[in-house]
Amino acid sequence: MKPKIIVCALGRTGYKIFNLLRHQGADVVGISDRPIPGERNDDIIIGDMRSPATLVAAGIRDAHTLVLSSSDDALNLAVLTQAKVLNPKIRIINRLFNRTLGDRLNRTLLNHVSMSVSALAAPIFAFAALGNKAIGQLQIFNQTWPIHEEIIHERHPWLGRKLSELWENRARMLIYYLPATGEFDLISAIADGKKLQAGDHLILGTKPQFHTHRTSRIRKWFKILTNLRQLSNYGRPVAVVTLALLSVVFLATFTYVFINFDTSIVDAFYFSVGMITGAGGKEEVAENAPDGLKIFTAIMMIVGAGVIGICYALINDFVLGSRIRQFWDAARVPSRNHYVVCGLGEVGMRTMQQFHAQGYEVVAIERDPNNRFLHAARSLGVPVIMEDARLSSTLAAANLKKAAALLVVTSNDMVNVEISLCAKGIQPKLPVVVRNQDPQFSLAVQQVFEFETVLCPNELATPAFAAAALGGKILGNGMTEDLLWVALATLITPAHPFCHQTIAESAKNADFVPLYLESKGRLIHGWELLRAYLLPGDVLYLTMPANKLDRVWRVETAELIAK
């Protein structure tokens, strides 16, 4: 029997999750606060999501999983508490923006999984900037592998190659196979020596490439010195006022020496500095001077007080305020082959973390000085330019002309389009990855303005929520056409339906693709994996269509695990 799933809050993201689950054959019920045109009342319950009566009407007491898809953390938390009262054993898939709260709930509550749209979407943005047209991601070997789809055409280099020739490569994992004609599962096609033909679809996971470039300390300082010319906007006011102060001091010193030749240059200079700063000293230089010189001294006192006050204020702002940090960040902007991220929100921050983890240099642009991710970004060593990215001067300060790619990921769609167009005006051939909240508008924007990639975070994350709702701890997921596939790990127990079978035999019967096997402390791959027998205690990592997960539902939920 398939587990019953309830999707709560049928907004844009929730309704997409609801439809995905329904298309995969899951027993799913939705809860919405308003009627949805074209939907039957027996599939969707209309009412207050926090009300016990609404949850009971949706079948909360017998449900296996509850998906909380609202963008309001407080609402999701309110529904969660009410659901746990009605069904303490229910499994919760909770969409949360607050990562700290999500981690605490995961540790506190049994069967609670918090998920973040930005965390799921950010690697896809990074992979797109790196030139990989990813349709999903896979978390294995403590790394995030991009998942992409290869469509075999007449000029494809793999046309005519046997699938078995692609199986053994450790840097590439075959995820799923959709033949152009007939129905073959991947393992059967490999065993039968089937060749790839035009129209075949092959889903692959590719090992992420790590950038090993490391700059020596001498070269880092050289880069800072060569970039000092970019810092005129930050240091110019301080330099101008300091120059004015020195000019006043030297003018006063020259005047006192010129009027009274008995006054030494040192005494005149000492008196001038003391007079202007208010510290005093060597007053006899002016006490016995002519009246004209005393008037000059009074004027210098007034002018000096104004100049020294402005100078103190600017230096204080530069050193104790944010200017020194902006000065240092601008000096550390890479000279070439870096990635520029506009917008330090959840998606921007996680995208930067993905680049940093793979060893790439990143520059961030953020105009909000109170942004909560500023400290986290700088702790990674990422220079942050505190300016408006819609200005061409700001993009020029980030060395946009020599950047590898630009990612525009602010929360405002119109601002994203404006920044992207400004960047294209500066460097027409620069790859630009743009964030957009509306998936239909995203396609139109990409076609009209010829941006390389326009991505919608909610659209990217929706399959992951649906996959998590279908059972177990999901390691990855992806979509191809209307097919949702998931990657998971299953613990083999004596009662497991795959126990004491070869992996090849189990894969053919259940239509899954094995990734690797953990057996007695060993990792088994390739051809040895297909020949291996599944024994109690083994952990099998696999991918399979979500609509065929009922073949794993015979396994208890506790046996679906992930490291």
Side-chain angles (χ1 to χ4, degrees), residues 17 65 111 132 153 224 238-239 343 356 422 473 505 507 553 555:
I17 296 171
T65 303
N111 293 327
N132 194 321
H153 49 78
I224 290 173
V238 176
H356 185 266
C422 181
K473 175 78 175 289
E505 179 185 358
W553 279 331
V555 187

Side-chain angles (χ1 to χ4, degrees), residues 248 276 298-308:
V248 171
I276 292 172
I299 294 173
M300 286 293 100
M301 287 180 178
I302 296 173
V303 173
V307 173
I308 200 68

Side-chain angles (χ1 to χ4, degrees), residues 246-309:
L246 293 176
S247 299
V248 171
V249 171
F250 287 125
L251 174 62
T253 302
F254 174 77
T255 301
Y256 293 127
V257 173
F258 182 77
I259 297 297
N260 187 357
F261 291 105
D262 294 333
T263 304
S264 68
I265 295 177
V266 174
D267 288 342
F269 178 74
Y270 182 73
F271 172 72
S272 298
V273 172
M275 170 191 66
I276 292 172
T277 60
K282 279 291 179 179
E283 283 80 2
E284 59 269 19
V285 172
E287 285 179 354
N288 300 322
D291 292 342
L293 191 58
K294 291 181 179 179
I295 294 174
F296 172 80
T297 302
I299 294 173
M300 286 293 100
M301 287 180 178
I302 296 173
V303 173
V307 173
I308 200 68

Side-chain angles (χ1 to χ4, degrees), residues 363-443:
V363 176
I365 301 177
E366 172 59 48
R367 65 176 180 176
D368 181 8
N370 299 316
N371 184 285
R372 62 192 178 110
F373 293 112
L374 280 178
H375 178 73
R378 285 167 172 158
S379 68
L380 295 176
V382 174
V384 182
I385 299 176
M386 300 300 301
E387 299 289 350
D388 190 342
R390 291 174 291 185
L391 303 177
S392 58
S393 59
T394 303
L395 297 177
N399 280 341
L400 188 72
K401 288 186 177 181
K402 297 183 179 180
L406 171 70
L407 295 96
V408 189
V409 292
T410 78
S411 57
N412 188 311
D413 289 351
M414 292 300 100
V415 170
N416 290 343
V417 172
E418 185 177 355
I419 295 172
S420 303
L421 291 175
C422 181
K424 282 292 188 181
I426 297 174
Q427 178 58 281
K429 296 183 179 180
L430 178 72
V432 178
V433 180
V434 186
R435 173 186 178 181
N436 200 284
Q437 301 294 351
D438 188 340
Q440 294 181 345
F441 185 52
S442 298
L443 182 60

Side-chain angles (χ1 to χ4, degrees), residues 165-186:
E165 297 176 13
L166 306 175
W167 176 254
E168 187 67 29
N169 193 329
R170 295 290 181 89
R172 181 175 59 227
M173 285 195 175
L174 303 185
I175 303 297
Y176 204 70
Y177 170 61
L178 291 172
T181 58
E183 294 185 4
F184 294 92
D185 64 88
L186 178 61

Side-chain angles (χ1 to χ4, degrees), residues 309-324:
I310 296 173
C311 188
Y312 281 160
L314 287 175
I315 292 176
N316 181 69
D317 176 66
F318 189 82
V319 176
L320 301 181
S322 60
R323 293 292 179 179
I324 190 66

